[in-house]
Structure formats: structure tokens, C-alpha cells
Amino acid sequence: MREIYTIIRKAAPWDANVCIEGENGTGKELIARAVHVSGLRRDQPFVTLDCSTIAEGLIESHLFGHVRGAFTGAVASRQGIFAQGHTGTVFIDEITELAPHLQAKLLRVIQTGEFVMVGGTQPQRVNVRIVTATNRDLRQAVAKGVFREDLYFRIAVVHIAVPPLRERRTDIPLLIEHFLREFMASRQRQDLRGLTPRAMTALIDYAWPGNVRELRNWIEQALVLADGDMIDLEHFPALTRAAHDAMRSPAPLAPLGLRLEEMERWYVLETLRRVDGNRTKAARQLGISLRGLQYKLRRYGAHRGSVEPNLVGGGTAGGNNLGPMRQWHEPPGASISG
């Protein structure tokens, strides 16, 4: 993380746009805020927009605002994040969720410093620093043609890659200490001395699919459950369940001979099966947005009902010969919707 702190320190005094990449829960918004408060715009607004939580048809309005009567339900004019963040910083999370036409409009805002409200005709000037984030590899998205290359170069003047928590385990004790102090102060509890050695070891060894967000949640929960002055293993119910599930149901091995595309499909559906069809949990474990998971399931034909595609070798209508593949079916429960 020292490298990230160095980049933040160097980038903060400049107005260059920053792009942050990392899995869900790695603290991308905290890094964005650190860039803002360390820079020259620290006393100006910091406005956020998470594109993955907004219906595609409404994202443009959230970005640029709309005038009264622009669409059904627009009973009053409303500012978007660019107007709200004028002179400050605009943080756009999950930017890969933007449709191509919105990518083009965002590019124009960056190039000209102007935007037009939905339903409006007059361009408005804006002066903001743009910080973006995504849980996907933007360069791969550019290579696949789903993200504009010219926009990538505009938003990623400064690029910050945030490693998942499992790749920086030495940070875990420091984060635990930070969260303990935070929660102890807010709850006026000063009797707690810390974690037992076995609890600390177990947390360091855990895979942390939810990253820092999951760790913070667990520490808060343990503080509530702990009666004495030390936090032990029994105060982490999720850790106990994870260990039990691992012993009861070891992770299956992927079939041999799968191509990369087929391996991704198998892994996505297997993850969905292991969380009993809960798409929100599956998306979090896969490090993608819920909308991204739903897109993959539609592509697999597994977005509704029970789907068991036959991947036996042989030519397809598109001429794609999979070769001597074995019969393969979706893992049971992988097509549960919700």
C-alpha cells in the first residue's frame, strides 16, 4: 500500500484525472476521497455516483441533470453530479457500466468542460476533477471494444491499482487495530484489549472475498459479541461457518480441457451454486458488479429457469468446433434467479 500512498501524495496537488481499479470492497472510494482531501479542491464539493446501482435509463440524468418535463416523471428540474460538484471533485464508481453513448458524452465533458442537461438545449460550463473507479480491468475492456480507448486515456491520466486484501496480508493487523479504535471510540468501550493470537492468525489466513469491507464488518460484529476484554474465534461466526463449509464441501475441480471462455463460465456458475443462487453474494465473491453478473448469466442462457447446455464436441452453427469435449452441465442450483 505504500506505493498507493505515494501515488496519492504525488497526484493530489495536480488536477489530473485519476482512475482506480480493484475488486469490490478494497476501499476505492476511500482512496478517491484521499485524493480529494489531499488536493487543491479539498474545500470544495466531493460528489459520488455509483453507476452499478442506477437503472441504465437514469444514469444520464444523474450525470448531467434534467429539466422539467424531459421525461415521464420529471416534474421538476434536477441537477446532476457535474453541476453539484462544480469546482470540486466528481467520483464516478463502476464506470465500465456506462453505455457507449454515455461514454461519448462523458468524453465531451472532459474535452470541452461543458455538458447539456437531459431535455435541455443550453450547454453549461463546469470545472471539476474527475476520479473514476471500476472492479474490472479497463485495458481489457478497451481491447474487447466495450470501453472507449480515447475515454480511457482521458480518465486514467493517473492509474491506481488496488490489490485485494488476500494479497496484502501484512495490512490485516493494522486494519484490525484501526477498526477496533474506530468502533471502541464510537461505542465508548475502552475495556477491550484486542484479539487473541489464534483469532488474529485465523483472520490473516482467511481469503477475504469481500476484502476490507468484509473485515470491517467482522470487527464490528465481534466487538458487539465479545463480553470480555479479548476477541476470540467464537466472536467471528462467519469464520466458523466458512471453516465448517470448507471441511464439509471442498471446492470442486474444474473439468480438464476447458477453454478460457468455458472456464470462466464454469467458475461463475460454480460460485453461484456455492452461495445457493444468491446473485449479490456471487457478484461480490467474483469481484464484479451485480449488473455484470446478470449480463454474464444472460450470455450463458442461465438468467432464468433451469439451463443445462450440452457442450459435447462437434461443430456449431457458427463453425466453432469444441473438439472432443465431455458432456457438461450447469452446476445444480446455478440458475436460481434473484
Side-chain angles (χ1 to χ4, degrees), residues 217-324:
N217 174 269
W218 282 22
I219 296 301
E220 183 177 17
Q221 181 185 61
L223 195 66
V224 172
L225 297 178
D227 295 323
D229 60 354
M230 295 293 288
I231 293 177
D232 206 351
L233 283 177
E234 64 264 24
H235 302 130
F236 297 100
L239 185 62
T240 306
R241 287 196 302 269
H244 175 72
D245 291 344
M247 294 176 61
R248 183 185 62 183
S249 178
L253 297 176
L256 296 176
L258 293 183
R259 295 183 180 183
L260 181 60
E261 204 174 304
E262 298 160 354
M263 177 65 77
E264 179 193 85
R265 175 190 181 118
W266 178 90
Y267 183 68
V268 168
L269 296 174
E270 174 60 23
T271 300
L272 193 60
R273 181 191 69 80
R274 292 180 66 82
V275 295
D276 297 323
N278 187 312
R279 294 188 178 188
T280 301
K281 287 184 179 179
R284 183 169 63 246
Q285 291 192 16
L286 291 166
I288 61 178
S289 68
L290 181 58
R291 186 182 297 171
L293 175 60
Q294 292 169 338
Y295 168 78
K296 290 181 182 294
L297 293 178
R298 284 196 298 270
R299 197 177 70 198
Y300 302 156
H303 60 294
R304 63 180 61 180
S306 177
V307 181
E308 293 188 349
N310 185 343
L311 296 187
V312 173
T316 66
N320 178 19
N321 192 335
L322 297 177

Side-chain angles (χ1 to χ4, degrees), residues 87-106:
T87 71
T89 300
V90 167
F91 174 55
I92 306 176
D93 200 3
E94 302 304 344
I95 191 170
T96 49
E97 300 295 324
L98 287 183
H101 74 284
L102 292 180
Q103 294 179 29
K105 291 189 176 185
L106 177 58

Side-chain angles (χ1 to χ4, degrees), residues 102-112 148 150-151 154:
L102 292 180
Q103 294 179 29
K105 291 189 176 185
L106 177 58
L107 177 63
R108 179 163 179 79
V109 174
I110 296 174
Q111 290 174 332
T112 66
R148 295 180 63 115
D150 47 3
L151 178 58
R154 286 287 190 165

Side-chain angles (χ1 to χ4, degrees), residues 53-68:
T53 63
I54 301 171
E56 185 175 342
L58 296 177
I59 292 181
E60 184 174 1
S61 172
H62 282 267
L63 284 169
F64 309 121
H66 63 259
V67 299
R68 180 181 178 183

